[in-house]
């Protein structure tokens, strides 16, 4: 990742130089060095210079570059073939040039139309959730104004700016009866909740969290389905447990922490349950075995062979959804489109078996779904059609 960031920084610098009408001697030397470093760089510079003379472009600044980079970093390669690095200087510059401040090659590219029979835009997800109280009452959180929602079992439930918080009512803080609530997000929704111990949980689309309104006894325990990011309030005397049920074996994965930040991805339609640790320490227990995670590590529970393994990962990729991005690294098409399906609340139909195609790249998850599909179409090995809330995948 560090090498990639350096390459990005270098690409931004070279691109800025290309845009200037006059260069200082030092800048001209830097540009010349880059041009002669690789024949492909020279070819790219010539191509860019030719395009500049053909069509005017907007002024370039750091925001333009960042926007361009975030909008287009998709690269295609076939599975089992050697990966072509996406972050080569020339490749980045070409992406910036084509989309960041000229863009006409892509907008005029002859590809099959993405949208057919489309009456309404397929909008990205937003803050949506259903809160089910212990008495069975259902509260649609996205339809309510901010402010106090309910008072239940000594708890004050408040909604503020896309999150719901549980706090003890001052007069009855020692309520002894435990009641459970469930917060669930539909496809096309996400939400944040603050529990009574101060723990914060972000729920991704198509997820749910079952939790007590107050944590009694020696442990704090919640149950997760789907995907959630946890910032657990530290309490060494009362460990925090996240219970995830494996739908195949029907056994529970127990994730135990004292106070830490971690992400759990446990959708029923995924082949693996992934627990990624950002800081602190996590202990996982499954089927009689235990494993301990360190920051930057991910535990993978295979639903096929019921084996729990640990690997080093880029945590930024694993929590990109929480930060408003899709980030893919050598990820197969089927996995990408499952994420698209949940976030945009669409169905996916394959006209041809293309699930083994893999992509690397990133884009804001608040873009129109067509932007994501069009970027993948640039590989010229795949195309998409949108019919209502159905995305059809073909070639």
């Amino acid at each position: 990742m560090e090498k990639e960031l350096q390459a990005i920084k270098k690409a931004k610098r070279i691109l800025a130089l290309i845009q200037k009408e006059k260069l200082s001697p030092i800048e001209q030397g830097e540009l010349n060095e880059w041009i002669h470093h690789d024949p492909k760089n020279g070819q790219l510079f010539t191509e860019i210079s030719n395009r500049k003379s053909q069509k005017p472009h907007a002024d370039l600044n750091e925001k333009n570059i960042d926007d361009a980079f975030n909008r287009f970093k998709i690269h295609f390669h076939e599975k089992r073939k050697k990966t072509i690095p996406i972050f080569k200087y020339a490749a980045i510059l070409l992406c910036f040039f084509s989309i960041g401040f000229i863009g006409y090659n892509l907008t005029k590219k002859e590809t099959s139309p993405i949208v057919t029979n489309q009456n309404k835009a397929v909008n990205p997800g937003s803050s949506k959730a259903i809160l089910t109280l212990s008495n069975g009452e259902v509260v649609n959180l996205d339809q309510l104004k901010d402010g106090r929602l309910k008072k239940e079992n000594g708890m004050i439930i408040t909604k503020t700016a896309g999150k719901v918080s549980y706090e003890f009512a001052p007069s009855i803080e020692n309520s002894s009866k435990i009641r459970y609530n469930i917060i669930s997000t539909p496809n096309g929704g996400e939400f944040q909740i603050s529990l009574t111990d101060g723990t914060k949980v972000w729920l991704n689309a198509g997820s749910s969290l079952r939790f007590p309104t107050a944590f009694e006894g020696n442990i704090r325990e919640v149950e997760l389905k789907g995907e959630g990011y946890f910032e657990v309030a530290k309490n060494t005397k009362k460990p925090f447990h996240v219970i995830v049920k494996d739908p195949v074996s029907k056994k529970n994965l127990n994730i135990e922490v004292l106070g830490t930040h971690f992400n759990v991805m446990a959708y029923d339609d995924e082949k693996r349950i992934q627990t990624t640790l950002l800081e602190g320490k996590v202990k996982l227990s499954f089927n009689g075995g235990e494993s301990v995670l360190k920051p930057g590590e991910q535990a993978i529970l295979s639903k096929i062979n019921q084996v729990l393994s640990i690997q080093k990962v880029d945590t930024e990729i694993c929590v990109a959804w929480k930060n408003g991005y899709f980030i893919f690294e050598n990820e197969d098409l089927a996995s990408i489109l499952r994420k698209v399906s949940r976030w945009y609340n669409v169905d996916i139909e394959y006209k041809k078996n293309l699930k083994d195609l893999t992509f690397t790249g990133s884009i804001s998850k608040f873009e129109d779904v067509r932007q994501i599909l069009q970027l993948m179409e640039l590989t010229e090995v795949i195309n998409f059609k949108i019919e209502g809330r159905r995305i059809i995948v073909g070639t």
Side-chain angles (χ1 to χ4, degrees):
M1 177 58 74
E2 181 62 28
K3 289 182 179 179
E4 294 172 352
L5 292 176
Q6 290 301 319
I8 295 165
K9 185 177 180 180
K10 177 72 171 181
K12 290 181 179 182
R13 174 64 178 159
I14 297 298
L15 184 57
L17 290 179
I18 292 173
Q19 288 306 295
K20 295 181 68 173
E21 293 298 328
K22 293 183 179 180
L23 304 181
S24 69
I26 294 177
E27 290 172 334
Q28 185 64 57
E30 182 178 1
L31 180 57
N32 290 340
E33 181 184 356
W34 175 79
I35 290 172
H36 296 294
H37 177 75
D38 189 318
K40 292 181 180 178
N41 293 352
Q43 294 171 7
L44 178 63
F45 178 75
T46 300
E47 181 179 357
I48 290 175
S49 299
N50 291 338
R51 292 189 190 179
K52 284 175 65 179
S53 64
Q54 292 171 5
K55 191 173 181 72
H57 54 80
D59 290 335
L60 184 69
N61 54 40
E62 186 73 13
K63 185 177 185 304
N64 295 145
I65 296 172
D66 287 336
D67 288 348
F69 187 72
N70 288 329
R71 286 177 61 81
F72 186 56
K73 294 183 294 184
I74 295 291
H75 168 74
F76 164 77
H77 59 87
E78 295 181 16
K79 209 168 199 178
R80 292 179 295 276
K81 286 190 178 181
K82 182 178 180 181
T83 303
I84 303 172
I86 184 175
F87 293 105
K88 292 297 185 183
Y89 299 157
I92 297 175
L93 288 171
L94 184 57
C95 293
F96 284 163
F97 186 84
S98 298
I99 292 183
F101 58 96
I102 289 187
Y104 71 96
N105 274 342
L106 299 187
T107 56
K108 291 186 177 180
K109 186 174 182 66
E110 292 184 1
T111 57
S112 59
I114 263 189
V115 181
T116 61
N117 301 331
Q118 182 72 2
N119 298 322
K120 291 171 58 178
V122 179
N123 296 319
S126 59
S127 293
K128 299 175 187 175
I130 298 293
L131 179 64
T132 304
L133 304 178
S134 59
N135 62 5
E137 182 181 354
V138 175
V139 181
N140 194 333
L141 295 174
D142 54 295
Q143 294 183 357
L144 297 179
K145 294 181 179 180
D146 288 355
R148 179 180 293 189
L149 300 181
K150 292 287 180 181
K151 188 173 181 180
E152 185 194 36
N153 190 36
M155 299 296 118
I156 296 175
I157 308 173
T158 306
K159 180 197 172 188
T160 308
K163 69 177 182 179
V164 65
S165 302
Y166 279 70
E167 295 178 307
F168 288 107
S171 60
I172 43 177
E173 185 171 331
N174 296 320
S175 176
S176 59
K177 188 173 182 180
I178 301 177
R179 298 175 187 267
Y180 286 89
N181 287 182
I182 299 173
I183 184 170
S184 56
T185 55
N187 284 349
E190 63 180 3
F191 221 81
Q192 180 187 346
I193 181 170
S194 294
L195 305 179
T196 50
D197 67 333
T199 292
K200 299 177 181 178
V201 186
W202 286 256
L203 287 179
N204 203 353
S207 305
S208 68
L209 185 77
R210 182 177 183 267
F211 59 95
T213 55
F215 293 105
E216 301 291 340
N218 298 323
I219 65 171
R220 297 169 288 167
E221 186 174 285
V222 300
E223 299 175 22
L224 174 72
K225 293 182 179 180
E227 184 165 24
Y229 175 83
F230 294 78
E231 291 185 358
V232 176
K234 190 170 184 178
N235 186 340
T236 56
K237 296 181 180 180
K238 187 178 290 191
F240 193 96
H241 290 243
V242 179
I243 305 300
V244 179
K245 183 179 289 293
D246 172 22
V248 177
S249 67
K250 307 301 182 183
K251 297 176 181 177
N252 288 340
L253 172 66
N254 186 355
I255 304 167
E256 179 182 345
V257 302
L258 296 177
T260 185
H261 298 184
F262 63 100
N263 190 82
V264 182
M265 192 279 289
Y267 288 106
D268 285 350
D269 59 352
E270 297 288 347
K271 296 178 181 178
R272 306 182 299 180
I273 297 173
Q274 298 174 341
T275 305
T276 308
L277 182 61
L278 282 77
E279 62 178 67
K281 188 169 70 172
V282 163
K283 182 173 74 174
L284 299 101
S285 305
F286 180 77
N287 198 26
E290 291 186 352
S291 297
V292 176
L293 281 185
K294 299 176 182 178
E297 292 183 338
Q298 180 182 82
I300 300 174
L301 174 60
S302 171
K303 297 178 183 178
I304 298 174
N305 56 27
Q306 300 294 296
V307 173
L308 189 64
S309 59
I310 295 177
Q311 66 178 14
K312 286 277 188 181
V313 294
D314 184 342
T315 57
E316 181 183 1
I317 296 175
C318 302
V319 299
W321 67 269
K322 172 184 170 289
N323 298 323
Y325 287 90
F326 290 114
I327 300 182
F328 313 120
E329 184 172 340
N330 193 20
E331 187 165 347
D332 64 78
L333 178 65
S335 176
I336 292 173
L337 292 183
R338 283 196 295 271
K339 294 176 181 178
V340 169
S341 173
R342 295 182 198 117
W343 182 239
Y344 289 92
N345 190 23
V346 293
D347 296 322
I348 308 296
E349 178 182 333
Y350 292 87
K351 288 296 186 181
K352 187 176 181 181
N353 185 14
L354 301 168
K355 297 180 181 180
D356 286 344
L357 298 182
T358 59
F359 294 82
T360 293
S362 73
I363 190 170
S364 168
K365 70 176 190 178
F366 295 102
E367 293 282 0
D368 187 303
V369 70
R370 290 171 295 184
Q371 295 289 340
I372 299 175
L373 304 181
Q374 285 170 352
L375 292 181
M376 289 190 284
E377 279 196 341
L378 292 175
T379 61
E380 298 184 346
V381 297
I382 191 170
N383 61 53
F384 302 91
K385 290 184 179 180
I386 300 177
E387 296 183 354
R389 303 205 69 82
R390 185 170 52 131
I391 295 176
I392 301 172
V393 186
T395 55

